[in-house]
């Protein structure tokens, strides 16, 4: 039971997300691949709606502090300007968010995708599906890489 809870919690941590939770679940907690994937997927998508929906008031609160206001304004302005400059980007925004989240690299997960959706003022009902699809895709990729690594490690230990 501890392995399930730890996997769920690890998958909810920004930057680490399910990209780190799946290998930890398989190698450390010895969960099978399906369990590792499902628990990591659920944990990774749990915060998505809340980030997309409620991060703006947190930004508004932090925006009262000059240091944070400068950062938030800069990021907001940059994102808004890019979308305004390119009408094709407006129509491809949801697909771009999906691709961004689906790439299994640190910093490209559900948390960052949710923040981007919020900066672009996307409604949760539009933003959440591509983010969830991206998490699913990244999870499958990480699951395959974990299985390859696990097979490779097992091979090395049995042939030493």
């Amino acid at each position: 039971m501890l392995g399930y809870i730890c996997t769920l919690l690890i998958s909810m941590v920004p930057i680490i997300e399910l990209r780190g939770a799946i290998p930890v679940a398989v190698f450390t907690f010895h969960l099978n691949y399906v369990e590792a994937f499902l628990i990591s997927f659920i944990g990774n998508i749990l915060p998505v709606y809340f980030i997309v929906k409620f991060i703006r008031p947190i930004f508004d609160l932090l925006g009262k502090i000059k240091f944070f206001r400068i950062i938030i304004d800069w990021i907001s302005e940059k994102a808004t300007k890019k979308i305004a400059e390119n009408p094709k980007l407006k129509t491809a925004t949801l697909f771009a968010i999906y691709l961004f989240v689906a790439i299994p690299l640190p910093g490209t997960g559900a948390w960052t995708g949710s923040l981007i959706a919020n900066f672009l003022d996307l409604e949760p009902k539009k933003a959440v599906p591509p983010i969830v699809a991206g998490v699913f895709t990244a999870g499958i990729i990480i699951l395959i890489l974990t299985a390859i690594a696990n097979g490779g490690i097992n091979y090395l230990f049995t042939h030493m």
Side-chain angles (χ1 to χ4, degrees):
M1 188 62 143
L2 181 63
Y4 296 118
I5 294 168
C6 287
T7 300
L8 185 77
L9 293 174
I10 291 168
S11 66
M12 295 173 79
V13 174
I15 300 174
I16 299 172
E17 302 183 24
L18 100 166
R19 292 146 172 78
I22 290 173
V24 168
V26 171
F27 294 123
T28 305
F29 301 121
H30 307 291
L31 301 183
N32 70 47
Y33 294 111
V34 174
E35 292 172 331
F37 175 80
L38 289 175
I39 293 166
S40 297
F41 177 74
I42 290 167
N44 201 176
I45 64 171
L46 279 175
V48 168
Y49 177 81
F50 300 102
I51 298 167
V52 174
K53 182 76 174 169
F54 299 113
I55 200 74
R56 185 62 63 168
I58 294 170
F59 284 160
D60 292 343
L61 183 64
L62 288 174
K64 293 178 182 179
I65 301 167
K66 186 177 181 179
F67 172 76
F68 290 115
R69 184 177 60 244
I70 291 168
I71 295 169
I72 292 167
D73 288 348
W74 178 78
I75 293 170
S76 258
E77 183 181 316
K78 199 161 181 77
T80 307
K81 186 178 177 186
K82 287 285 183 194
I83 294 294
E85 287 175 356
N86 191 343
K88 287 183 182 178
L89 196 56
K90 226 176 214 176
T91 59
T93 301
L94 298 178
F95 184 67
I97 288 174
Y98 160 75
L99 285 177
F100 180 81
V101 174
I103 297 168
L105 296 172
T108 63
W111 279 79
T112 310
S114 298
L115 289 172
I116 291 169
N118 189 281
F119 278 125
L120 298 175
D121 290 324
L122 296 175
E123 297 175 30
K125 67 181 179 183
K126 288 185 178 180
V128 170
I131 293 168
V132 170
V135 169
F136 185 85
T137 303
I140 295 296
I141 293 168
I142 293 298
L143 194 64
I144 291 167
L145 293 173
T146 302
I148 291 168
N150 195 20
I153 291 169
N154 286 337
Y155 179 81
L156 286 175
F157 282 130
T158 57
H159 289 86
M160 285 174 84

PDB file of all heavy atoms in Angstrom, residues 65-82:
ATOM      1  N   ILE A  65       3.419  41.519  -5.082  1.00  0.00           N
ATOM      2  CA  ILE A  65       4.838  41.617  -4.741  1.00  0.00           C
ATOM      3  C   ILE A  65       5.581  41.937  -6.032  1.00  0.00           C
ATOM      4  O   ILE A  65       5.455  41.211  -7.026  1.00  0.00           O
ATOM      5  CB  ILE A  65       5.340  40.290  -4.118  1.00  0.00           C
ATOM      6  CG1 ILE A  65       4.529  39.955  -2.862  1.00  0.00           C
ATOM      7  CG2 ILE A  65       6.832  40.375  -3.808  1.00  0.00           C
ATOM      8  CD1 ILE A  65       4.729  38.548  -2.359  1.00  0.00           C
ATOM      9  N   LYS A  66       6.335  43.004  -6.020  1.00  0.00           N
ATOM     10  CA  LYS A  66       6.949  43.526  -7.237  1.00  0.00           C
ATOM     11  C   LYS A  66       7.747  42.463  -8.002  1.00  0.00           C
ATOM     12  O   LYS A  66       7.606  42.336  -9.214  1.00  0.00           O
ATOM     13  CB  LYS A  66       7.849  44.715  -6.908  1.00  0.00           C
ATOM     14  CG  LYS A  66       8.404  45.380  -8.140  1.00  0.00           C
ATOM     15  CD  LYS A  66       9.231  46.599  -7.796  1.00  0.00           C
ATOM     16  CE  LYS A  66       9.745  47.233  -9.063  1.00  0.00           C
ATOM     17  NZ  LYS A  66      10.532  48.427  -8.820  1.00  0.00           N
ATOM     18  N   PHE A  67       8.569  41.698  -7.297  1.00  0.00           N
ATOM     19  CA  PHE A  67       9.404  40.687  -7.942  1.00  0.00           C
ATOM     20  C   PHE A  67       8.556  39.693  -8.743  1.00  0.00           C
ATOM     21  O   PHE A  67       8.833  39.419  -9.904  1.00  0.00           O
ATOM     22  CB  PHE A  67      10.235  39.944  -6.885  1.00  0.00           C
ATOM     23  CG  PHE A  67      10.990  38.764  -7.436  1.00  0.00           C
ATOM     24  CD1 PHE A  67      12.137  38.948  -8.193  1.00  0.00           C
ATOM     25  CD2 PHE A  67      10.546  37.462  -7.205  1.00  0.00           C
ATOM     26  CE1 PHE A  67      12.838  37.865  -8.705  1.00  0.00           C
ATOM     27  CE2 PHE A  67      11.237  36.374  -7.708  1.00  0.00           C
ATOM     28  CZ  PHE A  67      12.382  36.573  -8.458  1.00  0.00           C
ATOM     29  N   PHE A  68       7.508  39.167  -8.123  1.00  0.00           N
ATOM     30  CA  PHE A  68       6.646  38.197  -8.797  1.00  0.00           C
ATOM     31  C   PHE A  68       5.827  38.852  -9.911  1.00  0.00           C
ATOM     32  O   PHE A  68       5.576  38.248 -10.943  1.00  0.00           O
ATOM     33  CB  PHE A  68       5.718  37.501  -7.794  1.00  0.00           C
ATOM     34  CG  PHE A  68       6.438  36.572  -6.872  1.00  0.00           C
ATOM     35  CD1 PHE A  68       6.499  36.828  -5.510  1.00  0.00           C
ATOM     36  CD2 PHE A  68       7.073  35.435  -7.348  1.00  0.00           C
ATOM     37  CE1 PHE A  68       7.172  35.986  -4.652  1.00  0.00           C
ATOM     38  CE2 PHE A  68       7.750  34.575  -6.503  1.00  0.00           C
ATOM     39  CZ  PHE A  68       7.800  34.852  -5.147  1.00  0.00           C
ATOM     40  N   ARG A  69       5.383  40.103  -9.688  1.00  0.00           N
ATOM     41  CA  ARG A  69       4.596  40.805 -10.702  1.00  0.00           C
ATOM     42  C   ARG A  69       5.401  40.960 -11.994  1.00  0.00           C
ATOM     43  O   ARG A  69       4.879  40.771 -13.088  1.00  0.00           O
ATOM     44  CB  ARG A  69       4.146  42.173 -10.180  1.00  0.00           C
ATOM     45  CG  ARG A  69       3.231  42.889 -11.179  1.00  0.00           C
ATOM     46  CD  ARG A  69       2.702  44.228 -10.660  1.00  0.00           C
ATOM     47  NE  ARG A  69       3.789  45.153 -10.372  1.00  0.00           N
ATOM     48  CZ  ARG A  69       4.088  45.626  -9.156  1.00  0.00           C
ATOM     49  NH1 ARG A  69       3.393  45.241  -8.114  1.00  0.00           N
ATOM     50  NH2 ARG A  69       5.086  46.460  -8.995  1.00  0.00           N
ATOM     51  N   ILE A  70       6.672  41.272 -11.862  1.00  0.00           N
ATOM     52  CA  ILE A  70       7.530  41.427 -13.043  1.00  0.00           C
ATOM     53  C   ILE A  70       7.587  40.114 -13.828  1.00  0.00           C
ATOM     54  O   ILE A  70       7.434  40.105 -15.048  1.00  0.00           O
ATOM     55  CB  ILE A  70       8.946  41.898 -12.625  1.00  0.00           C
ATOM     56  CG1 ILE A  70       8.886  43.329 -12.099  1.00  0.00           C
ATOM     57  CG2 ILE A  70       9.926  41.796 -13.786  1.00  0.00           C
ATOM     58  CD1 ILE A  70      10.159  43.793 -11.399  1.00  0.00           C
ATOM     59  N   ILE A  71       7.786  39.015 -13.128  1.00  0.00           N
ATOM     60  CA  ILE A  71       7.875  37.707 -13.785  1.00  0.00           C
ATOM     61  C   ILE A  71       6.545  37.317 -14.422  1.00  0.00           C
ATOM     62  O   ILE A  71       6.490  36.913 -15.591  1.00  0.00           O
ATOM     63  CB  ILE A  71       8.339  36.625 -12.780  1.00  0.00           C
ATOM     64  CG1 ILE A  71       9.768  36.912 -12.321  1.00  0.00           C
ATOM     65  CG2 ILE A  71       8.238  35.236 -13.383  1.00  0.00           C
ATOM     66  CD1 ILE A  71      10.220  36.073 -11.143  1.00  0.00           C
ATOM     67  N   ILE A  72       5.467  37.448 -13.664  1.00  0.00           N
ATOM     68  CA  ILE A  72       4.139  37.067 -14.163  1.00  0.00           C
ATOM     69  C   ILE A  72       3.752  37.922 -15.362  1.00  0.00           C
ATOM     70  O   ILE A  72       3.265  37.407 -16.378  1.00  0.00           O
ATOM     71  CB  ILE A  72       3.087  37.164 -13.033  1.00  0.00           C
ATOM     72  CG1 ILE A  72       3.356  36.077 -11.984  1.00  0.00           C
ATOM     73  CG2 ILE A  72       1.671  37.046 -13.580  1.00  0.00           C
ATOM     74  CD1 ILE A  72       2.588  36.253 -10.688  1.00  0.00           C
ATOM     75  N   ASP A  73       3.968  39.224 -15.276  1.00  0.00           N
ATOM     76  CA  ASP A  73       3.644  40.115 -16.398  1.00  0.00           C
ATOM     77  C   ASP A  73       4.468  39.775 -17.637  1.00  0.00           C
ATOM     78  O   ASP A  73       3.952  39.769 -18.751  1.00  0.00           O
ATOM     79  CB  ASP A  73       3.865  41.579 -16.010  1.00  0.00           C
ATOM     80  CG  ASP A  73       2.820  42.089 -15.040  1.00  0.00           C
ATOM     81  OD1 ASP A  73       1.795  41.394 -14.844  1.00  0.00           O
ATOM     82  OD2 ASP A  73       3.029  43.182 -14.465  1.00  0.00           O
ATOM     83  N   TRP A  74       5.746  39.507 -17.441  1.00  0.00           N
ATOM     84  CA  TRP A  74       6.624  39.190 -18.573  1.00  0.00           C
ATOM     85  C   TRP A  74       6.154  37.917 -19.276  1.00  0.00           C
ATOM     86  O   TRP A  74       6.037  37.886 -20.495  1.00  0.00           O
ATOM     87  CB  TRP A  74       8.064  39.037 -18.081  1.00  0.00           C
ATOM     88  CG  TRP A  74       9.027  38.674 -19.168  1.00  0.00           C
ATOM     89  CD1 TRP A  74       9.556  39.511 -20.110  1.00  0.00           C
ATOM     90  CD2 TRP A  74       9.559  37.380 -19.442  1.00  0.00           C
ATOM     91  NE1 TRP A  74      10.400  38.817 -20.954  1.00  0.00           N
ATOM     92  CE2 TRP A  74      10.410  37.492 -20.559  1.00  0.00           C
ATOM     93  CE3 TRP A  74       9.408  36.137 -18.850  1.00  0.00           C
ATOM     94  CZ2 TRP A  74      11.097  36.417 -21.103  1.00  0.00           C
ATOM     95  CZ3 TRP A  74      10.100  35.064 -19.388  1.00  0.00           C
ATOM     96  CH2 TRP A  74      10.926  35.212 -20.497  1.00  0.00           C
ATOM     97  N   ILE A  75       5.870  36.877 -18.501  1.00  0.00           N
ATOM     98  CA  ILE A  75       5.430  35.607 -19.091  1.00  0.00           C
ATOM     99  C   ILE A  75       4.076  35.777 -19.770  1.00  0.00           C
ATOM    100  O   ILE A  75       3.865  35.303 -20.889  1.00  0.00           O
ATOM    101  CB  ILE A  75       5.372  34.495 -18.021  1.00  0.00           C
ATOM    102  CG1 ILE A  75       6.782  34.181 -17.526  1.00  0.00           C
ATOM    103  CG2 ILE A  75       4.702  33.237 -18.563  1.00  0.00           C
ATOM    104  CD1 ILE A  75       6.827  33.268 -16.313  1.00  0.00           C
ATOM    105  N   SER A  76       3.158  36.468 -19.117  1.00  0.00           N
ATOM    106  CA  SER A  76       1.824  36.688 -19.678  1.00  0.00           C
ATOM    107  C   SER A  76       1.897  37.467 -20.987  1.00  0.00           C
ATOM    108  O   SER A  76       1.267  37.109 -21.980  1.00  0.00           O
ATOM    109  CB  SER A  76       0.965  37.473 -18.698  1.00  0.00           C
ATOM    110  OG  SER A  76       0.091  36.656 -18.037  1.00  0.00           O
ATOM    111  N   GLU A  77       2.671  38.516 -20.970  1.00  0.00           N
ATOM    112  CA  GLU A  77       2.800  39.359 -22.161  1.00  0.00           C
ATOM    113  C   GLU A  77       3.425  38.587 -23.323  1.00  0.00           C
ATOM    114  O   GLU A  77       2.971  38.671 -24.456  1.00  0.00           O
ATOM    115  CB  GLU A  77       3.655  40.591 -21.830  1.00  0.00           C
ATOM    116  CG  GLU A  77       3.796  41.561 -22.986  1.00  0.00           C
ATOM    117  CD  GLU A  77       4.673  42.743 -22.591  1.00  0.00           C
ATOM    118  OE1 GLU A  77       4.491  43.270 -21.472  1.00  0.00           O
ATOM    119  OE2 GLU A  77       5.530  43.129 -23.411  1.00  0.00           O
ATOM    120  N   LYS A  78       4.449  37.825 -23.018  1.00  0.00           N
ATOM    121  CA  LYS A  78       5.132  37.040 -24.045  1.00  0.00           C
ATOM    122  C   LYS A  78       4.183  36.007 -24.673  1.00  0.00           C
ATOM    123  O   LYS A  78       4.117  35.868 -25.890  1.00  0.00           O
ATOM    124  CB  LYS A  78       6.355  36.360 -23.436  1.00  0.00           C
ATOM    125  CG  LYS A  78       7.377  35.917 -24.432  1.00  0.00           C
ATOM    126  CD  LYS A  78       8.690  35.705 -23.691  1.00  0.00           C
ATOM    127  CE  LYS A  78       9.785  35.278 -24.590  1.00  0.00           C
ATOM    128  NZ  LYS A  78      10.382  36.288 -25.405  1.00  0.00           N
ATOM    129  N   ALA A  79       3.452  35.300 -23.854  1.00  0.00           N
ATOM    130  CA  ALA A  79       2.525  34.280 -24.340  1.00  0.00           C
ATOM    131  C   ALA A  79       1.405  34.914 -25.160  1.00  0.00           C
ATOM    132  O   ALA A  79       1.071  34.444 -26.245  1.00  0.00           O
ATOM    133  CB  ALA A  79       1.948  33.482 -23.181  1.00  0.00           C
ATOM    134  N   THR A  80       0.830  35.988 -24.653  1.00  0.00           N
ATOM    135  CA  THR A  80      -0.264  36.667 -25.343  1.00  0.00           C
ATOM    136  C   THR A  80       0.204  37.241 -26.677  1.00  0.00           C
ATOM    137  O   THR A  80      -0.497  37.144 -27.685  1.00  0.00           O
ATOM    138  CB  THR A  80      -0.839  37.791 -24.457  1.00  0.00           C
ATOM    139  OG1 THR A  80      -1.174  37.241 -23.193  1.00  0.00           O
ATOM    140  CG2 THR A  80      -2.059  38.415 -25.076  1.00  0.00           C
ATOM    141  N   LYS A  81       1.391  37.818 -26.694  1.00  0.00           N
ATOM    142  CA  LYS A  81       1.931  38.410 -27.922  1.00  0.00           C
ATOM    143  C   LYS A  81       2.154  37.349 -28.994  1.00  0.00           C
ATOM    144  O   LYS A  81       1.822  37.555 -30.163  1.00  0.00           O
ATOM    145  CB  LYS A  81       3.245  39.134 -27.606  1.00  0.00           C
ATOM    146  CG  LYS A  81       3.822  39.897 -28.767  1.00  0.00           C
ATOM    147  CD  LYS A  81       5.096  40.620 -28.362  1.00  0.00           C
ATOM    148  CE  LYS A  81       5.715  41.319 -29.553  1.00  0.00           C
ATOM    149  NZ  LYS A  81       7.008  41.904 -29.224  1.00  0.00           N
ATOM    150  N   LYS A  82       2.706  36.209 -28.609  1.00  0.00           N
ATOM    151  CA  LYS A  82       2.951  35.127 -29.573  1.00  0.00           C
ATOM    152  C   LYS A  82       1.648  34.650 -30.203  1.00  0.00           C
ATOM    153  O   LYS A  82       1.578  34.421 -31.409  1.00  0.00           O
ATOM    154  CB  LYS A  82       3.656  33.943 -28.898  1.00  0.00           C
ATOM    155  CG  LYS A  82       5.094  34.195 -28.588  1.00  0.00           C
ATOM    156  CD  LYS A  82       5.909  34.133 -29.845  1.00  0.00           C
ATOM    157  CE  LYS A  82       7.381  34.306 -29.497  1.00  0.00           C
ATOM    158  NZ  LYS A  82       8.191  34.571 -30.658  1.00  0.00           N
TER     159      LYS A  82
END
